[in-house]
């Protein structure tokens, strides 16, 4: 393993160079092949990961917990109810204390500043398991899946249709980093933040790809090799659900929209999916759908992150 990532934090895709991004993907692929062949790994033997969950999750918890086990380590689940954060302890104090007990921290939070502060005040690697700004660990699994399906990333086109949220932000950065074209289609007022669009454009200019933010989902999907969507109302936006259903209805991924993509295009979704809203069963369960391969790849991508950041 390279030592370039050892001891580092992973809060954003922007924390990685192209070389480091590929190192994570290549190591994830190797770990997957060896794990499926029955090989055991001890990269994190005797190490402990603290997992802070302000938001509940199926895939994030299982992938990191099983990943630590398969790497020979131990994962400690900490919900908001289990911690003194609920009673007013600061993130800074929490980071300092946990750093005395564990070898790494993964945090799934509402406010991105929380993972920033964990990294600032802690002395062990901090991994962003999801924040309101980004979802880097998910997007590594997404790009591993695309790479597996097409054998390359550079020169492909990714279309993202729906809410310009944390997943869209990380997809934009990753696409720019590897030279993949990306087109994001959102309703007016729901675009990804300009910071991420501009950063993605800077990266794309260096790597020979393009970044588009559009209104028309058909235009975004036309010729795409991968079509991606996410829920229209994320955790914490439940009060907006009914209004968002009306606004986002034209952005549903259905067979008609998929017909504009490349004939060999795959469908991606970070899950959980609200079937009948952002995607219909005919797409989610179709031969084009790679959503369960993508979910499985969370385990292998997360193991690569853990091993390279926390391993000796």
């Amino acid at each position: 393993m390279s030592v370039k990532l050892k001891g580092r934090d992973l809060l954003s895709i922007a924390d990685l160079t192209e070389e480091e991004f590929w190192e994570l993907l290549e190591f994830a692929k190797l770990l997957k092949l060896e794990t499926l062949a029955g090989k055991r790994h001890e990269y994190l033997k005797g190490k402990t990961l603290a997992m802070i969950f302000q938001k509940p999750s199926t895939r994030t918890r299982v992938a990191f917990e099983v990943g630590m086990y398969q790497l020979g380590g131990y994962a400690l689940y900490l919900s908001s109810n289990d911690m003194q954060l609920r009673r007013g302890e600061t993130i800074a104090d929490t980071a300092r204390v946990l750093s005395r007990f564990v070898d790494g921290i993964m945090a799934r939070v509402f406010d991105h500043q929380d993972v920033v502060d964990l990294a600032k005040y802690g002395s062990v690697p901090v991994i962003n398991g999801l924040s309101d700004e980004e979802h880097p660990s998910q997007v590594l699994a997404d790009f591993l899946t695309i790479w597996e399906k097409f054998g390359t990333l550079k020169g492909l086109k990714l279309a993202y249709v729906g809410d310009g949220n944390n997943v869209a932000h990380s997809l934009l950065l990753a696409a720019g980093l590897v030279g993949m074209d990306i087109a994001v289609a959102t309703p007016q007022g729901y675009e990804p933040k300009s910071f991420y669009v501009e950063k993605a454009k800077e990266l794309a200019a260096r790597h020979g790809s393009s970044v588009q933010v559009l209104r028309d989902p058909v235009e975004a999907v036309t010729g795409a090799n991968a079509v991606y969507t996410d829920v229209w109302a994320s955790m914490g936006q439940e009060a907006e659900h009914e209004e968002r259903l009306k606004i986002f209805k034209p952005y549903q991924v259905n067979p008609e929209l998929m017909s504009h993509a490349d004939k060999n295009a795959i469908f991606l979704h970070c899950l959980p999916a609200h079937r009948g809203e952002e995607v219909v069963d005919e797409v989610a369960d179709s031969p084009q759908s790679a959503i369960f391969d993508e979910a499985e790849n969370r385990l292998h991508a997360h193991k690569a992150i853990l091993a390279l950041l926390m391993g000796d």
Side-chain angles (χ1 to χ4, degrees), residues 7-9 46-52 76 78 83 89-107 114-127 310:
R8 294 257 301 273
D9 303 312
K47 304 239 175 180
T48 301
L49 176 73
M51 305 191 303
I52 299 173
L76 178 65
L78 299 168
M83 303 182 69
E89 184 173 39
T90 66
I91 288 285
D93 285 353
T94 298
R96 293 182 180 111
V97 170
L98 286 178
S99 295
R100 302 292 182 102
F101 295 147
V102 302
D103 304 285
I105 299 169
M106 187 284 298
D114 285 352
V115 291
V116 172
D117 288 343
L118 283 167
K120 179 180 179 181
Y121 295 103
S123 56
V124 296
V126 173
I127 301 162
M310 294 172 56

Side-chain angles (χ1 to χ4, degrees), residues 22-305:
W22 272 108
E23 183 175 4
L24 283 162
L25 289 188
E26 288 165 355
F27 195 51
K29 188 174 183 179
L30 175 65
L31 287 172
K32 179 177 181 177
L33 292 171
E34 292 185 342
T35 300
L36 293 176
K39 182 174 180 178
R40 298 282 300 175
H41 300 99
E42 296 287 316
Y43 293 119
L44 297 181
K45 185 176 181 179
K47 304 239 175 180
T48 301
L49 176 73
M51 305 191 303
I52 299 173
F53 281 84
Q54 295 177 3
K55 292 183 174 185
S57 170
T58 301
R59 279 148 294 275
T60 300
R61 177 176 179 180
V62 173
F64 275 110
E65 197 162 324
V66 173
M68 281 296 293
Y69 170 75
Q70 290 186 357
L71 292 169
Y74 177 75
L76 178 65
Y77 177 82
L78 299 168
S79 74
S80 296
N81 292 332
D82 298 325
M83 303 182 69
Q84 294 297 325
L85 285 170
R86 187 178 176 87
R87 298 177 61 197
E89 184 173 39
T90 66
I91 288 285
D93 285 353
T94 298
R96 293 182 180 111
V97 170
L98 286 178
S99 295
R100 302 292 182 102
F101 295 147
V102 302
D103 304 285
I105 299 169
M106 187 284 298
R108 182 177 170 90
V109 300
F110 284 97
D111 187 347
H112 186 75
Q113 189 60 43
D114 285 352
V115 291
V116 172
D117 288 343
L118 283 167
K120 179 180 179 181
Y121 295 103
S123 56
V124 296
V126 173
I127 301 162
N128 179 2
L130 175 143
S131 71
D132 59 339
E133 291 287 313
E134 279 203 61
H135 201 350
S137 57
Q138 170 67 55
V139 167
L140 279 159
D142 300 336
F143 276 62
L144 175 60
T145 307
I146 298 169
W147 182 33
E148 285 180 335
K149 297 296 182 183
F150 296 101
T152 187
L153 293 177
K154 191 172 181 63
L156 298 179
K157 179 182 177 181
L158 171 65
Y160 176 89
V161 179
D163 187 24
N165 60 14
N166 49 3
V167 172
H169 292 159
S170 291
L171 289 170
L172 280 161
L173 295 177
L177 196 61
V178 301
M180 181 187 293
D181 295 333
I182 184 168
V184 176
T186 70
Q188 186 171 357
Y190 294 89
E191 303 89 348
K193 290 185 177 180
S194 59
F195 169 83
Y196 294 97
V197 176
E198 294 309 311
K199 180 66 175 175
K201 286 181 176 179
E202 287 175 23
L203 292 167
R206 277 188 244 155
H207 295 96
S209 58
S210 65
V211 175
Q212 294 177 290
V213 178
L214 308 166
R215 292 277 170 265
D216 184 1
V218 172
E219 184 181 355
V221 166
T222 298
N225 304 102
V227 178
Y228 198 121
T229 193
D230 191 8
V231 294
W232 292 340
S234 299
M235 223 174 295
Q237 297 174 331
E238 289 81 4
E240 304 173 31
H241 184 253
E242 293 306 315
E243 179 185 4
R244 282 172 172 257
L245 285 182
K246 298 171 189 173
I247 293 170
F248 283 95
K249 189 173 181 180
Y251 293 83
Q252 182 185 76
V253 180
N254 50 41
E256 195 283 325
L257 184 61
M258 286 295 294
S259 71
H260 297 278
D262 183 85
K263 65 178 183 179
N264 296 316
I266 60 172
F267 170 69
L268 299 171
H269 191 306
C270 54
L271 300 179
H274 293 174
R275 290 169 177 252
E277 293 182 12
E278 73 273 7
V279 64
V280 297
D281 290 344
E282 291 86 348
V283 172
D285 297 326
S286 72
Q288 288 181 284
S289 177
I291 61 175
F292 297 113
D293 294 330
E294 180 186 8
E296 177 189 349
N297 281 338
R298 291 282 298 273
L299 172 62
H300 308 296
H302 293 9
K303 284 167 67 175
I305 295 168

